[in-house]
Amino acid sequence: MAQAFSSSGELNVLHRGDELRDSVLPDFTAQTGITVNATAFSQNEEQIKKLQDTAGQGFDLCQPARELAPRFRDLDVLQPLQADKLANLATLIPAIADGSARDWTWDGKPYFVPHLWGSEAIAWRTDLATLDYQGLSYGTLWNDAYKGEVQGRPHSLLLGIGLWLDATGKLPTNRMRDAFKDADSMKAAYDVIGRFAIEHKPWIKQFWSTAENTMSGFMENGCVIGQTWDGPALALKTDGKPVAYMAPQEGAICWVDGWALTSAAKNLEQAYAFINYLQAPAANAKAADASNYNPVVAGADQLLSDKAKANFADAYPADALQKLWLRPVESDWLVRLRTEYAEKFRAA
């Protein structure tokens, strides 16, 4: 880390709120002398709005999701990364590195490096419901037993319904891949999905928007089951609360978050020092442990706490990792249509 010490100063980071917890930032500062000014966001749209409103001014690094590549390319708020300043690219899990590089390279230049991966699947109160992997489905949410006790995000619930309807043969969509080919294909699928969702709106107890209100939904607001991120549910489980998280038979919905350099970045050496720190196995494991998400660096899984290893095994039993469903990249037309259907569901 000699280069980082020589460039000590400050770094301004726009980051997802639950992905830089505990001692990650203090450890980085202790190793490098660089102070991190961290601004948290909860949802991708919030991050995008901040970057648009400021043209990236005030931030050196931001934290896009892998599927946002087309939108960030059009926003023109990033600058390319210099590969020769990224010391640990070779340590990344190949499938994650290759997919990220494919989606985030334009004009022959890279704009993104992975940080953590996680998923969206089914979480539930273990003292109020008994579920197992073989019988778990996105369709489980809509069982009569859970009417008025379900939580989720509108657009995520719609996707889960689509995956379930595809798996049962009621709406063949090639595991929803065909639904994202073009606007007409999406409308054809989402008209069916949307009708089902609106008819089942009485099943919804709350729509969550952050990790915090996901957790309060289970512990304070009467939710028994939900389609959630892994992090909040596993944080509750780690804390000894009666909550479980598991991939359903249709496959957990997988995402990859990473780092990108804003076009207005001023603290460049500090930004590269931060990325290199986080892509070393020990730091990547620390970030994953603290957030209850998963490392992207090969070998970091062996450095996780025993509790994190157990949570991972419980969340992805049997063939669950072979069934992961990677989110497609999001073009403007896809986001616009998805938002329209989600808002109709929310307002029903």
Side-chain angles (χ1 to χ4, degrees):
M1 303 294 290
Q3 183 181 22
F5 276 114
S6 69
S7 64
S8 61
E10 294 193 350
L11 177 67
N12 301 306
V13 175
L14 180 61
H15 72 100
R16 194 172 295 278
D18 57 348
E19 291 189 19
L20 289 178
R21 294 185 185 276
D22 292 354
S23 61
V24 175
L25 296 184
D27 279 2
F28 172 70
T29 298
Q31 288 191 34
T32 65
I34 298 170
T35 299
V36 180
N37 304 312
T39 301
F41 67 89
S42 296
Q43 298 285 339
N44 288 320
E45 296 305 324
E46 180 186 351
Q47 174 180 214
I48 288 171
K49 186 175 189 307
K50 284 183 183 293
L51 293 171
Q52 285 180 309
D53 288 348
T54 63
Q57 292 291 333
F59 302 111
D60 301 305
L61 288 171
C62 60
Q63 197 176 26
R66 183 203 61 85
E67 67 265 20
L68 298 179
R71 299 181 68 191
F72 268 81
R73 180 174 185 172
D74 292 342
L75 285 174
D76 197 27
V77 294
L78 303 180
Q79 61 177 289
L81 292 159
Q82 294 179 247
D84 62 344
K85 292 183 178 293
L86 297 170
N88 296 318
L89 286 181
T91 68
L92 296 174
I93 296 169
I96 291 176
D98 293 347
S100 299
R102 180 190 66 241
D103 295 327
W104 279 85
T105 298
W106 47 86
D107 300 326
K109 300 173 182 176
Y111 284 80
F112 173 98
V113 290
H115 172 55
L116 295 173
W117 76 270
S119 66
E120 209 173 301
I122 306 298
W124 70 93
R125 286 279 301 255
T126 56
D127 55 339
L128 300 173
T130 301
L131 300 169
D132 61 59
Y133 178 58
Q134 292 306 318
L136 192 62
S137 165
Y138 291 114
T140 303
L141 298 171
W142 312 108
N143 288 351
D144 288 345
Y146 305 121
K147 189 172 183 179
E149 299 175 338
V150 175
Q151 67 167 323
R153 287 190 300 180
H155 74 80
S156 294
L157 289 168
L158 294 174
L159 175 57
I161 291 168
L163 288 168
W164 171 50
L165 294 179
D166 172 78
T168 57
K170 296 176 182 177
L171 182 66
T173 54
N174 186 25
R175 292 190 80 204
M176 285 295 285
R177 294 301 180 194
D178 291 347
F180 299 108
K181 290 191 304 186
D182 53 59
D184 287 342
S185 298
M186 188 173 191
K187 288 177 183 177
Y190 270 70
D191 282 349
V192 177
I193 294 166
R195 281 195 298 271
F196 178 93
I198 290 170
E199 289 170 2
H200 288 77
K201 180 72 177 292
W203 271 248
I204 301 298
K205 177 66 174 180
Q206 73 169 31
F207 290 123
W208 61 261
S209 58
T210 67
E212 287 69 26
N213 60 36
T214 302
M215 292 189 283
S216 64
F218 282 127
M219 303 314 303
E220 300 167 18
N221 200 32
C223 295
V224 173
I225 192 169
Q227 186 175 328
T228 76
W229 290 328
D230 44 356
L234 293 177
L236 290 172
K237 181 182 178 183
T238 300
D239 197 36
K241 301 297 190 295
V243 174
Y245 175 89
M246 188 178 290
Q249 287 297 311
E250 298 90 352
I253 298 165
C254 180
W255 49 263
V256 178
D257 284 343
W259 298 106
L261 199 61
T262 70
S263 55
K266 293 182 170 58
N267 302 300
L268 297 179
E269 293 302 323
Q270 292 87 341
Y272 286 110
F274 188 63
I275 292 171
N276 291 335
Y277 162 80
L278 286 171
Q279 289 188 333
N284 200 232
K286 182 186 291 291
D289 247 331
S291 64
N292 291 286
Y293 296 124
N294 306 308
V296 298
V297 173
D301 58 323
Q302 299 304 310
L303 303 177
L304 295 173
S305 66
D306 289 343
K307 178 68 74 171
K309 291 177 183 177
N311 284 347
F312 186 88
D314 290 345
Y316 307 101
D319 60 351
L321 289 176
Q322 282 70 56
K323 294 180 177 178
L324 289 176
W325 193 91
L326 189 63
R327 285 189 174 277
V329 293
E330 299 181 353
S331 301
D332 285 343
W333 66 264
L334 188 158
V335 175
R336 184 180 66 256
L337 282 176
R338 184 183 67 188
T339 301
E340 289 177 7
Y341 284 98
E343 288 306 312
K344 288 177 183 177
F345 181 24
R346 186 191 296 274

